[in-house]
Amino acid sequence: MPPFRSALPDRARLPAALDVLLLVAGLLLLLRTPRFVGSDGTVRLDAVKALAEGRIPEMTYSLVMPLVMLPLHWLGGIRGNREELLYVANGLLLALAAGVLWALLRPLGGALVRRFLLLLVFGSMAPAHVNSFYGEMLTAVGVVVGLVAITLRPSRGVAVAGWVLLVLGVVNTPAAAPALALVAVGHVLWTRRPWALLAVAAAAALILLDLRLRTGGFSSPYGGSAGYRTVLPYSGLPGFSYPLGFGLLALLLSFGKGLVFFTPGLFLPVLRRLDLRLRPAYVLLAFFVAGLVLVYSRWWSWYGGYYWGPRFFLIAGVVAALVLAVRLSTPERSLAGVLVTLGALTLSSWVAAAAVLGNVGQDVCQANGYALEHLCWYSPEFSVLWTPLLYWPATTTAQQAFLVLVAVVHVRLAWPLWVEVVRRVRAGRGELVSGRWVGARS
């Protein structure tokens, strides 16, 4: 697949330009969607203000995100509103990540990269993370961009920058440290060099330093945190008290939080289709996601609190987008493969559409001390994926325009699959009429 260059043939330039236009329009629209700055986001905003005043805030969360966001706070002050840019910080991070990933992955083929970025914006959970000041976007950007830079290694300086981004992303979410350790082991096995273990040591040291600065000690404030006591047998218990088996089932299969529904591409086979240069990045990203799943399966708040979808797994959505982009860029060997890819693409498009709508029809899950919140985790009619079908919310112009672009991008990506379905069905009918076995070609 030829890379996207100015020397593209005329017939290829128009689709490439359309993809870029759609991507830019989508990112701009996400910056205009309604903001939600509350809960964890409010704590982080206050931390940015404290740092700007020269104070180190005492808080539960890492100082990495507030420190990274200080320049936006200062720029906002020049414009007369110090919080203005902070409200769109995660959208700016997504746009920045898209640009850097374009530059890093472009040698693998422009069409593949464009599909990947279109799916990241219009076929993943990313829109749900843009409208808040939570920390998952920064962690996802650091880890994904870092691992891609490390494994593609266009230069030693870029690889070093990748390790720095990876470590900072993990320090921003200390619970991701075991996932980093898993990635480091995988990297050592791949390269036969032990240097990746230094990243684990650096992350551990920075996590301890961060903890010391914001708490005055080395005991995590998460240790004693717990949720409300409800009818659920393991509710109200602190720390890593949730049974691993139940946690795995919930994170993978629950209607309101399960990765099978929110990141369907993650579970499609793709390893043999990958360019050899991209394969290490995919494997290490998969290791990181697996590490996160194992860690959060035991966390009492595995569901991520009152939040749209599986809060802690934005990185899984990035990997799912990459998998779908690869499958869309390589031929399917059977009709079943075409239909599976088409189904995953359709569900992923709906995930992005539902994400930009936010928590629709979820009020019951906050009532009476969150006594019925589990309905939003497990019951399909209270899942954020399906509640818009029951209670379509009032939407802003920006949301409506984004939904239109989701549909346009879906048609753009799904059209070749539908053409292939029709072709194979017709071929199958011809073989059936001629008396040959329908499956011989597949």
Side-chain angles (χ1 to χ4, degrees):
M1 186 182 305
F4 176 48
R5 299 189 180 100
S6 59
L8 279 173
D10 291 340
R11 61 187 177 85
R13 289 179 183 175
L14 183 58
L18 175 61
D19 290 345
V20 174
L21 180 62
L22 288 169
L23 183 62
V24 172
L27 290 170
L28 290 175
L29 285 172
L30 285 178
L31 294 177
R32 306 269 312 167
T33 54
R35 306 289 99 193
F36 168 75
V37 182
S39 188
D40 300 8
T42 301
V43 176
R44 290 185 170 90
L45 272 175
D46 292 340
V48 174
K49 298 173 188 176
L51 290 172
E53 296 169 357
R55 296 183 292 107
I56 296 179
E58 292 186 16
M59 64 173 186
T60 303
Y61 315 114
S62 169
L63 290 171
V64 170
M65 184 173 180
L67 285 169
V68 170
M69 296 304 171
L70 269 178
L72 292 182
H73 184 266
W74 293 328
L75 288 174
I78 296 174
R79 294 170 57 90
N81 185 346
R82 293 190 179 277
E83 295 185 1
E84 178 184 17
L85 293 178
L86 294 177
Y87 290 150
V88 296
N90 279 334
L92 295 175
L93 274 176
L94 179 62
L96 177 63
V100 175
L101 288 171
W102 177 285
L104 290 172
L105 296 173
R106 187 174 170 181
L108 302 180
L112 170 65
V113 180
R114 294 195 308 273
R115 291 185 182 108
F116 167 49
L117 295 180
L118 285 173
L119 286 165
L120 181 60
V121 175
F122 298 105
S124 79
M125 300 183 291
H129 291 259
V130 164
N131 64 6
S132 70
F133 198 62
Y134 283 34
E136 282 71 33
M137 180 65 76
L138 180 60
T139 293
V141 169
V143 171
V144 173
V145 174
L147 283 176
V148 170
I150 291 164
T151 51
L152 290 182
R153 292 183 296 178
S155 69
R156 180 173 295 180
V158 172
V160 171
W163 282 114
V164 172
L165 286 174
L166 176 59
V167 169
L168 287 179
V170 170
V171 177
N172 186 55
T173 305
L180 174 61
L182 192 58
V183 165
V185 171
H187 191 273
V188 169
L189 294 176
W190 166 48
T191 63
R192 305 297 180 183
R193 297 175 181 175
W195 306 117
L197 299 178
L198 293 177
V200 179
L206 288 174
I207 288 171
L208 290 175
L209 175 61
D210 173 63
L211 192 61
R212 178 72 176 182
L213 289 174
R214 58 189 165 86
T215 67
F218 295 107
S219 298
S220 172
Y222 278 105
S225 66
Y228 290 92
R229 183 66 181 172
T230 67
V231 68
L232 296 179
Y234 297 100
S235 61
L237 300 178
F240 293 90
S241 55
Y242 203 74
L244 178 63
F246 286 153
L248 287 173
L249 287 172
L251 281 176
L252 295 177
L253 300 174
S254 61
F255 288 106
K257 301 290 181 176
L259 296 179
V260 166
F261 300 104
F262 287 84
T263 60
L266 184 67
F267 301 92
L268 301 184
V270 76
L271 189 60
R272 293 184 179 181
R273 306 185 188 207
L274 289 168
D275 186 300
L276 291 178
R277 292 169 292 177
L278 186 56
R279 192 172 293 180
Y282 166 76
V283 171
L284 293 183
L285 282 168
F287 278 9
F288 198 93
V289 172
L292 289 181
V293 170
L294 290 174
V295 168
Y296 282 113
S297 290
R298 295 223 58 208
W299 179 240
W300 71 266
S301 184
W302 59 267
Y303 49 90
Y306 185 73
Y307 192 86
W308 191 96
R311 171 181 168 183
F312 305 123
F313 295 93
L314 178 58
I315 295 173
V318 179
V319 180
L322 178 61
V323 170
L324 277 176
V326 171
R327 290 182 69 95
L328 290 170
S329 303
T330 53
E332 296 287 354
R333 300 177 63 182
S334 67
L335 177 59
V338 177
L339 293 175
V340 167
T341 302
L342 181 60
L345 173 62
T346 302
L347 181 53
S348 297
S349 299
W350 176 248
V351 166
V356 81
L357 295 175
N359 287 25
V360 178
Q362 304 280 296
D363 292 344
V364 66
C365 301
Q366 290 182 292
N368 301 321
Y370 296 89
L372 299 177
E373 189 180 10
H374 56 277
L375 291 176
C376 297
W377 312 338
Y378 301 121
S379 179
E381 58 267 43
F382 287 99
S383 166
V384 289
L385 274 186
W386 314 118
T387 47
L389 300 178
L390 301 175
Y391 318 101
W392 189 262
T395 52
T396 65
T397 302
Q399 287 174 307
Q400 293 167 7
F402 186 82
L403 292 174
V404 170
L405 290 188
V406 169
V408 171
V409 170
H410 176 75
V411 172
R412 167 93 175 88
L413 298 177
W415 182 255
L417 295 176
W418 281 114
V419 171
E420 186 66 13
V421 169
V422 172
R423 186 190 71 81
R424 294 192 184 224
V425 169
R426 286 178 175 175
R429 286 179 179 175
E431 291 180 350
L432 184 63
V433 170
S434 65
R436 289 181 294 173
W437 177 246
V438 177
R441 291 187 182 181
S442 61

